[in-house]
Amino acid sequence: MYKKIMTDELWFVAAPNHKYANKIISLETIISEPFILRENGSYNHFTLEALCHIHNLKAPKIALEFDGLHESLMAAISGYGIVFCSSLTVHEFITAGKLSRIYVKDIDLINEIVLCTRKNEPYSPLLQNFFAVMPTTQISAS
């Protein structure tokens, strides 16, 4: 069973003094900038490469690569490049003015966060408590 927990967006973010901070630019323009990426195989790294492939663009130049999101965001705050990541993970940094969003024309990527459980298996008490406090939407009964 798949239950939708929430919807998340994938954003391009950089330091507030980045030349494209709070601006609307093309995908081709942003891809020409240095990127700070998570390790190869991470969801955001894979999604960014897929986005480039779909639009017939070369993968972005990697300025820095980290095994952790926190390190990537700290590097972006320090001005080392652009991070492509979950809006949920950067919302407080943007609100605090430590990062700024870069808007990319015609690119609105949505990531649905779902909880998957086995069909016909009873929910554990922990999962029952989770459902009691976290609203979900059933997506599929398969």
Side-chain angles (χ1 to χ4, degrees):
M1 175 120 31
Y2 301 92
K3 290 188 181 237
K4 178 179 166 184
I5 297 171
M6 65 180 63
T7 300
D8 183 23
E9 295 179 58
L10 296 174
W11 289 354
F12 294 91
V13 298
N17 63 350
H18 190 280
K19 64 184 173 185
Y20 296 127
N22 298 308
K23 294 189 176 153
I24 301 170
I25 62 172
S26 70
L27 180 62
E28 187 173 8
T29 299
I30 200 166
I31 292 303
S32 68
E33 291 294 308
F35 269 78
I36 303 162
L37 296 178
R38 292 278 313 272
E39 68 278 3
N40 197 12
S42 73
Y43 176 76
N44 293 347
H45 193 143
F46 173 80
T47 304
L48 182 59
E49 287 180 349
L51 185 63
C52 291
H53 179 74
I54 289 167
H55 291 274
N56 295 317
L57 298 170
K58 288 183 177 180
K61 178 175 67 174
I62 301 173
L64 296 167
E65 187 174 79
F66 293 102
D67 286 341
L69 178 62
H70 179 76
E71 293 82 359
S72 300
L73 295 177
M74 293 302 107
I77 289 168
S78 298
Y80 288 104
I82 296 169
V83 173
F84 178 67
C85 61
S86 159
S87 65
L88 295 171
T89 61
V90 294
H91 179 73
E92 78 178 59
F93 292 103
I94 289 175
T95 301
K98 293 180 179 182
L99 287 171
S100 294
R101 186 169 176 196
I102 301 171
Y103 300 88
V104 179
K105 285 185 254 175
D106 303 319
I107 304 295
D108 295 309
L109 295 173
I110 303 297
N111 181 25
E112 287 194 343
I113 300 172
V114 299
L115 179 70
C116 304
T117 58
R118 292 185 187 99
K119 188 176 180 179
N120 301 322
E121 184 172 299
Y123 297 149
S124 69
L126 180 63
L127 195 52
Q128 289 174 21
N129 288 339
F130 178 79
F131 287 144
V133 297
M134 188 67 163
T136 61
T137 304
Q138 185 168 318
I139 296 174
S140 170
S142 56

